[in-house]
Amino acid sequence: MISTKIQFLLRRLRERLWVKPLIACILSVASVMLAHVADNISIDWKVPEIAQGSIVDLLKIIAASMLGVATFAVASMVSAYASTGQSATARAFPLVVSDDVSQNALSIFVGAFIFAIVGLGATMNDYFGKAGRFTLFSLTLLTLACVIVVFVRWVDSIARLGRLGAVMAKVEQATAKAIKRRKAVPCLGGMATSGPAAGLAFHADDHGYLQRIDMVALQCIAEESKVRIIVAALPGAMIVASRPLGFVLPDSGQSGPVEPALLRKAFVIGPVRQFDDDPRFGLVVQAEIACRALSPAMNDAGTAIGILGSVHRLFATWAEPAEAKRPEFDRVDVPMLSVSEMFDDVFPAIARDGAAIVEVAMRLQRVLGELGRSGDPAMRAVARRHATLALARAEAATDFGPDLELLRRRHADYWGEPAVDA
């Protein structure tokens, strides 16, 4: 099984456009070398004779066309990336960049161009014999087939890449994955914290956002020194030098000292938040998309309603009962995600910007009301508080009686009569 650290690094590599094209280029050169290897195998009498001129003509066609197609692919992708920041939010950019279909298409186009150039140079200098020419001819046909299939598939994908609906779907998918991972290991595989933090505090040297915690490293340190490590910050938290990353608490007379530098290495801090281990970041991004859609410049209530539907599905997933698993790291204590803070990440912003739009306000009351019926007492209490606040915002933002009556009726359908102090 791939470790979480390797998975984290692989996900960061997916956000780099040069990785897959580089791999494709290496494979292209290796394929041409493979054709020459066939000359060292005694199969000349078994393969048909392929004229050198036919191979040269095919490779010239590929070389002439693939460079233009690759340039067009890059231009299309850059245009899609730019539209992401304009129509949705810049925080969704890593998700669009890591689109597999576009990266694979660019890699195939660049790889085919390199294959054609290297193969053309080798063929025109009589580098291949009979078996080598046949092998290169077969690889050329295979390359053409791959280019055609990938191009057709990519045309369908590039039409959607960067569009608002596609970005919303990618954000929901990334957030859902983070939520499912956190539900499987509520405390990142460690023990749930109990009571106020205590012990010797250790701090970070860098400023930024906590992207990942290496629980394996913390467990090893705790076992070697016979201590308990209490984590004070979850992935997504803003880290400053004055805020402790955690605390070291001796739990026996044999506990030894712990080097703070070793502890700090287990915390990956970067300039931006990542979706991987931070479900709250996905909720923040969805709130940003909804708020931009509700701005006077866009005035797109339908997008905000779509975001509320996505948020409803995500919180419904969070409210589903999960199978309890035995903590893997019994010497590391980690706080659990707060449902109240997760609601605060998304609902107040939408309630504020959509308070004067009755369609958004009505859908907000429905989503909060349905989440209140999820069966989770904590979620019900938080949902009721946000529903009451959203109703108060709407009452302050509009004075049109029939709209307010609809909202009050919708609120009362789920919660009864609003509280006097709402």
Side-chain angles (χ1 to χ4, degrees):
M1 183 178 178
I2 301 177
S3 68
T4 56
K5 182 176 182 179
I6 296 178
Q7 289 178 347
F8 180 82
L9 295 176
L10 289 177
R11 283 191 285 264
R12 300 291 75 77
L13 287 177
R14 286 184 60 193
E15 298 170 5
R16 301 291 184 267
L17 281 179
W18 57 267
V19 175
K20 287 186 177 181
L22 176 61
I23 295 174
C25 292
I26 295 174
L27 292 177
S28 299
V29 176
S31 298
V32 177
M33 297 300 104
L34 177 64
H36 180 64
V37 172
D39 286 326
N40 299 324
I41 304 175
S42 301
I43 58 171
D44 287 357
W45 59 275
K46 297 180 181 180
V47 298
E49 180 70 39
I50 303 297
Q52 180 172 307
S54 62
I55 300 178
V56 170
D57 290 341
L58 276 175
L59 292 175
K60 283 183 178 180
I61 293 173
I62 295 176
S65 58
M66 283 302 100
L67 183 60
V69 172
T71 303
F72 170 72
V74 172
S76 300
M77 292 166 67
V78 170
S79 176
Y81 299 155
S83 68
T84 299
Q86 296 173 359
S87 63
T89 172
R91 260 61 61 190
F93 178 74
L95 298 178
V96 181
V97 171
S98 60
D99 178 68
D100 287 330
V101 176
S102 297
Q103 287 198 8
N104 291 341
L106 179 61
S107 302
I108 292 295
F109 299 154
V110 174
F113 173 73
I114 298 299
F115 171 81
I117 293 297
V118 176
L120 190 62
T123 303
M124 296 182 69
N125 286 279
D126 298 325
Y127 188 63
F128 303 109
K130 180 181 178 181
R133 288 194 300 272
F134 175 77
T135 304
L136 183 63
F137 181 75
S138 301
L139 291 173
T140 302
L141 295 180
L142 180 62
T143 300
L144 281 173
C146 290
V147 167
I148 293 172
V149 171
V150 170
F151 182 79
V152 171
R153 187 183 177 206
W154 173 73
V155 167
D156 179 72
S157 175
I158 198 65
R160 298 176 177 83
L161 185 66
R163 299 298 184 266
L164 185 56
V167 175
M168 290 168 57
K170 286 183 178 295
V171 173
E172 180 179 355
Q173 184 181 21
T175 309
K177 288 181 179 179
I179 285 177
K180 290 177 180 178
R181 281 195 294 267
R182 186 57 65 87
K183 279 180 63 66
V185 282
C187 299
L188 301 178
M191 305 290 290
T193 54
S194 57
L200 181 62
F202 60 93
H203 300 75
D205 291 333
D206 300 327
H207 296 260
Y209 292 97
L210 181 58
Q211 297 177 342
R212 179 181 173 273
I213 302 175
D214 191 341
M215 297 292 291
V216 176
L218 291 180
Q219 177 72 10
C220 291
I221 295 172
E223 289 178 347
E224 291 176 359
S225 301
K226 294 181 173 56
V227 298
R228 296 199 64 81
I229 298 176
I230 303 173
V231 175
L234 288 173
M238 184 177 179
I239 302 301
V240 294
S242 59
R243 177 178 180 177
L245 287 174
F247 302 87
V248 178
L249 182 64
D251 63 353
S252 70
Q254 298 178 345
S255 299
V258 179
E259 180 63 36
L262 293 177
L263 294 170
R264 285 193 286 267
K265 288 181 180 179
F267 294 81
V268 179
I269 299 173
V272 296
R273 296 172 73 172
Q274 301 289 349
F275 289 89
D276 306 9
D277 298 319
D278 184 9
R280 293 181 58 186
F281 182 47
L283 298 173
V284 170
V285 172
Q286 289 192 313
E288 289 182 355
I289 295 174
C291 291
R292 174 164 291 190
L294 292 172
S295 65
M298 296 189 68
N299 193 24
D300 182 10
T303 294
I305 292 173
I307 288 292
L308 285 172
S310 172
V311 171
H312 186 191
R313 290 188 292 271
L314 292 171
F315 277 112
T317 301
W318 181 261
E320 293 175 355
E323 180 182 356
K325 293 185 178 180
R326 183 178 179 180
E328 184 179 358
F329 311 107
D330 58 354
R331 285 186 170 270
V332 183
D333 295 350
V334 180
M336 298 184 68
L337 274 179
S338 166
V339 175
S340 178
E341 292 179 348
M342 293 172 69
F343 270 61
D344 291 342
D345 288 330
V346 61
F347 287 117
I350 299 178
R352 179 196 64 222
D353 292 351
I357 305 175
V358 64
E359 296 88 348
V360 177
M362 290 284 286
R363 180 57 61 91
L364 184 60
Q365 290 294 330
R366 179 179 292 278
V367 169
L368 289 169
E370 294 297 333
L371 290 177
R373 294 177 175 178
S374 63
D376 184 344
M379 183 173 289
R380 176 173 178 80
V382 176
R384 178 164 191 166
R385 177 171 64 86
H386 280 275
T388 303
L389 291 174
L391 178 61
R393 290 179 186 274
E395 289 175 336
T398 180
D399 55 1
F400 188 63
D403 286 351
L404 290 177
E405 181 62 27
L406 285 174
L407 278 172
R408 290 175 181 136
R409 191 179 307 162
R410 173 67 59 81
H411 184 276
D413 287 342
Y414 287 103
W415 311 105
E417 294 301 321
V420 176
D421 59 347

